[in-house]
Amino acid sequence: MQNAQGSDTTPLRAGSRWIIALGIVYVVAGFFALGSMMLATVASVFVVGVMMIIAGIAEVFNAFQIKTWGKFLLWALLGVLYIIAGFIAFENPIFAAVVLTLLLGASLVASGVVRLYLAFNMKREAPWVLVALSGVITLLLGLLILARWPVNSVYILGLFLGIDLIVAGISWIGLGFGLRSHAPSQMRPAT
């Protein structure tokens, strides 16, 4: 009988070459995004626009499931607003990038403050220093984005996209090589 842990990774181990290839594609796309951050920013805005339109359509369909007129109108209005916002992202991607960059900076500041609050309220046995460090980095990153806003709006989303693709690609490559380096579990005699 095989080890339970080994049997869980057997399908992944068989596809490790594809996992490595996927990681390489991510890394190449990430460097392409870093090489053309404005184009990557516009691509990010288009993806957000598509997601908003899909979410808006879902909201409108959901509105028809509601029995009362007040809630129906609220859900339908919300869906229509999502759809309009998605089309605005297509119509004016630079304006959408400015708004999304502002939201990103504000979200990072808020997340950093919350992490710092949580870190200083953790029990001293817990890894509060790591949480605090994470909070400081997130807070500083958000403040940096807000300090250069709206000038940085044409490249910041592309920069984040490129970095995310590279980090994800390196993770996939590491996973693929890790799966290849561990030999399948040997048969164990029953005891």
mmCIF file of all heavy atoms in Angstrom, residues 135-145:
data_model
loop_
_atom_site.group_PDB
_atom_site.id
_atom_site.type_symbol
_atom_site.label_atom_id
_atom_site.label_comp_id
_atom_site.label_asym_id
_atom_site.label_seq_id
_atom_site.Cartn_x
_atom_site.Cartn_y
_atom_site.Cartn_z
ATOM 1 N N GLY A 135 2.112 44.624 8.772
ATOM 2 C CA GLY A 135 1.280 45.821 8.833
ATOM 3 C C GLY A 135 2.045 47.074 8.457
ATOM 4 O O GLY A 135 1.541 47.931 7.722
ATOM 5 N N VAL A 136 3.284 47.195 8.937
ATOM 6 C CA VAL A 136 4.104 48.374 8.619
ATOM 7 C C VAL A 136 4.394 48.427 7.124
ATOM 8 O O VAL A 136 4.269 49.482 6.487
ATOM 9 C CB VAL A 136 5.417 48.362 9.443
ATOM 10 C CG1 VAL A 136 6.411 49.384 8.911
ATOM 11 C CG2 VAL A 136 5.127 48.615 10.906
ATOM 12 N N ILE A 137 4.769 47.280 6.533
ATOM 13 C CA ILE A 137 5.078 47.245 5.098
ATOM 14 C C ILE A 137 3.840 47.594 4.275
ATOM 15 O O ILE A 137 3.907 48.395 3.346
ATOM 16 C CB ILE A 137 5.645 45.866 4.704
ATOM 17 C CG1 ILE A 137 7.031 45.689 5.327
ATOM 18 C CG2 ILE A 137 5.703 45.704 3.189
ATOM 19 C CD1 ILE A 137 7.591 44.292 5.205
ATOM 20 N N THR A 138 2.706 47.024 4.639
ATOM 21 C CA THR A 138 1.467 47.295 3.909
ATOM 22 C C THR A 138 1.068 48.759 4.044
ATOM 23 O O THR A 138 0.678 49.408 3.066
ATOM 24 C CB THR A 138 0.340 46.373 4.415
ATOM 25 O OG1 THR A 138 0.753 45.017 4.278
ATOM 26 C CG2 THR A 138 -0.946 46.589 3.645
ATOM 27 N N LEU A 139 1.169 49.303 5.249
ATOM 28 C CA LEU A 139 0.837 50.706 5.488
ATOM 29 C C LEU A 139 1.746 51.630 4.683
ATOM 30 O O LEU A 139 1.274 52.565 4.014
ATOM 31 C CB LEU A 139 0.939 51.026 6.980
ATOM 32 C CG LEU A 139 0.708 52.474 7.393
ATOM 33 C CD1 LEU A 139 -0.715 52.909 7.094
ATOM 34 C CD2 LEU A 139 1.010 52.652 8.873
ATOM 35 N N LEU A 140 3.047 51.380 4.706
ATOM 36 C CA LEU A 140 3.987 52.216 3.964
ATOM 37 C C LEU A 140 3.757 52.132 2.463
ATOM 38 O O LEU A 140 3.834 53.135 1.750
ATOM 39 C CB LEU A 140 5.426 51.834 4.307
ATOM 40 C CG LEU A 140 5.889 52.195 5.715
ATOM 41 C CD1 LEU A 140 7.295 51.673 5.966
ATOM 42 C CD2 LEU A 140 5.817 53.696 5.946
ATOM 43 N N LEU A 141 3.447 50.931 1.975
ATOM 44 C CA LEU A 141 3.166 50.765 0.549
ATOM 45 C C LEU A 141 1.926 51.563 0.156
ATOM 46 O O LEU A 141 1.916 52.254 -0.874
ATOM 47 C CB LEU A 141 2.986 49.283 0.216
ATOM 48 C CG LEU A 141 2.823 48.925 -1.247
ATOM 49 C CD1 LEU A 141 4.014 49.401 -2.068
ATOM 50 C CD2 LEU A 141 2.662 47.429 -1.392
ATOM 51 N N GLY A 142 0.881 51.491 0.977
ATOM 52 C CA GLY A 142 -0.326 52.266 0.702
ATOM 53 C C GLY A 142 -0.069 53.766 0.729
ATOM 54 O O GLY A 142 -0.545 54.510 -0.137
ATOM 55 N N LEU A 143 0.710 54.210 1.708
ATOM 56 C CA LEU A 143 1.038 55.643 1.793
ATOM 57 C C LEU A 143 1.877 56.091 0.601
ATOM 58 O O LEU A 143 1.688 57.193 0.080
ATOM 59 C CB LEU A 143 1.762 55.939 3.106
ATOM 60 C CG LEU A 143 0.915 55.844 4.373
ATOM 61 C CD1 LEU A 143 1.789 56.007 5.616
ATOM 62 C CD2 LEU A 143 -0.209 56.877 4.360
ATOM 63 N N LEU A 144 2.784 55.240 0.160
ATOM 64 C CA LEU A 144 3.601 55.549 -1.008
ATOM 65 C C LEU A 144 2.734 55.696 -2.256
ATOM 66 O O LEU A 144 2.925 56.625 -3.054
ATOM 67 C CB LEU A 144 4.652 54.456 -1.202
ATOM 68 C CG LEU A 144 5.640 54.659 -2.343
ATOM 69 C CD1 LEU A 144 6.520 55.869 -2.090
ATOM 70 C CD2 LEU A 144 6.493 53.412 -2.511
ATOM 71 N N ILE A 145 1.787 54.804 -2.417
ATOM 72 C CA ILE A 145 0.874 54.890 -3.567
ATOM 73 C C ILE A 145 0.048 56.167 -3.494
ATOM 74 O O ILE A 145 -0.090 56.898 -4.481
ATOM 75 C CB ILE A 145 -0.040 53.641 -3.638
ATOM 76 C CG1 ILE A 145 0.787 52.417 -4.029
ATOM 77 C CG2 ILE A 145 -1.188 53.849 -4.623
ATOM 78 C CD1 ILE A 145 0.034 51.107 -3.910
#
